[in-house]
């Protein structure tokens, strides 16, 4: 390495044998010193894995998974951390989830399109810092048709009192 040069570095995550071991910073930079060895410490953490399923209850009572549904993984501040999609059978999973508190919910616009409500509305969970990584399982949602009171609330019609041709012209 050339002395006094600034080098941009990137961690090759493909070379890491354990998929749960994640670098805290994927990119970093350093300036090389002349005639010296420089120790570069890169912090790693053991990530978590989350998994669950989204099922829909049909009018005949049968359950089936919903594929392609968008789930939002929010951090403890309520910011979107990741967007997840369900597989064709309704299951989902994600890895490289750092330790911390999270909230998982189904995207509300998707619920509106499906005219469904989620039970539970959201799931709060914690990924624990563990030497082997934390596995959070059973993050399951059930969708059912919206109740009629919510349908009326969402589809309420705004009545107007004006009639065609009754608009007054302003000067």
């Amino acid at each position: 390495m050339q002395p006094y040069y600034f080098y941009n570095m990137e961690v090759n995550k493909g070379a890491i044998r354990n998929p749960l071991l994640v670098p805290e910073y994927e990119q970093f930079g350093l300036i090389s010193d002349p005639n010296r060895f420089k120790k570069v410490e890169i912090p790693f953490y053991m990530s978590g894995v989350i998994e669950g399923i989204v099922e829909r209850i049909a009018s005949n009572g049968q359950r089936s998974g919903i594929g392609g549904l968008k789930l939002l993984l929010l951090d403890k501040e309520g910011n979107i951390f990741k967007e997840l999609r369900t597989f064709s059978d309704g299951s989902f999973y994600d890895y490289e989830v750092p330790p911390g508190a999270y909230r998982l919910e189904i995207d509300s616009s998707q619920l509106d399109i499906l005219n469904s409500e989620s039970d539970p509305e959201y799931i709060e969970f914690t990924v624990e810092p563990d030497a082997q990584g934390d596995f959070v399982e059973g993050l399951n949602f059930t969708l059912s048709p919206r109740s009629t009171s919510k349908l009326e609330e969402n589809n309420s019609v705004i009545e107007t009192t004006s009639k065609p041709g009754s608009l007054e012209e302003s000067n």
Side-chain angles (χ1 to χ4, degrees):
M1 298 176 97
Q2 295 290 324
Y4 304 114
Y5 272 60
F6 182 80
Y7 290 93
N8 288 318
M9 306 277 186
E10 185 173 340
V11 176
N12 181 2
K13 290 173 50 177
I16 302 170
R17 292 186 183 169
N18 185 343
L20 295 178
L21 194 59
V22 180
E24 188 167 342
Y25 307 105
E26 291 184 28
Q27 297 178 342
F28 60 94
L30 60 90
I31 298 174
S32 60
D33 297 331
N35 302 319
R36 302 269 187 234
F37 288 101
K38 186 174 240 180
K39 183 178 180 180
V40 179
E41 294 185 9
I42 303 169
F44 283 80
Y45 61 87
M46 290 302 286
S47 67
V49 176
I50 62 172
E51 69 88 18
I53 191 166
V54 180
E55 293 181 313
R56 182 183 215 177
I57 299 176
S59 57
N60 61 2
Q62 281 193 319
R63 293 177 171 258
S64 61
I66 299 178
L69 195 65
K70 182 171 41 169
L71 303 170
L72 302 175
L73 182 60
L74 308 165
D75 62 14
K76 60 185 171 192
E77 284 84 33
N79 302 316
I80 295 177
F81 177 70
K82 276 187 182 177
E83 290 182 3
L84 310 173
R85 294 284 180 170
T86 58
F87 297 110
S88 60
D89 65 349
S91 65
F92 64 90
Y93 81 95
D94 192 31
Y95 63 99
E96 293 188 2
V97 179
Y102 296 94
R103 176 177 162 160
L104 183 67
E105 62 186 37
I106 298 173
D107 183 28
S108 61
S109 63
Q110 302 244 308
L111 289 173
D112 291 341
I113 291 169
L114 294 170
N115 195 22
S116 298
E117 55 188 18
S118 172
D119 181 35
E121 186 177 337
Y122 58 87
I123 299 173
E124 292 182 339
F125 63 94
T126 302
V127 174
E128 300 292 336
D130 188 12
Q132 284 75 39
D134 192 15
F135 294 86
V136 181
E137 301 171 320
L139 302 175
N140 302 332
F141 291 95
T142 304
L143 301 184
S144 57
R146 280 206 174 121
S147 62
T148 55
S149 62
K150 287 190 178 183
L151 282 175
E152 291 171 1
E153 187 179 298
N154 289 340
N155 296 328
S156 63
V157 177
I158 300 173
E159 295 182 23
T160 58
T161 56
S162 63
K163 297 178 184 174
S166 67
L167 294 176
E168 296 180 10
E169 294 181 21
S170 59
N171 294 331

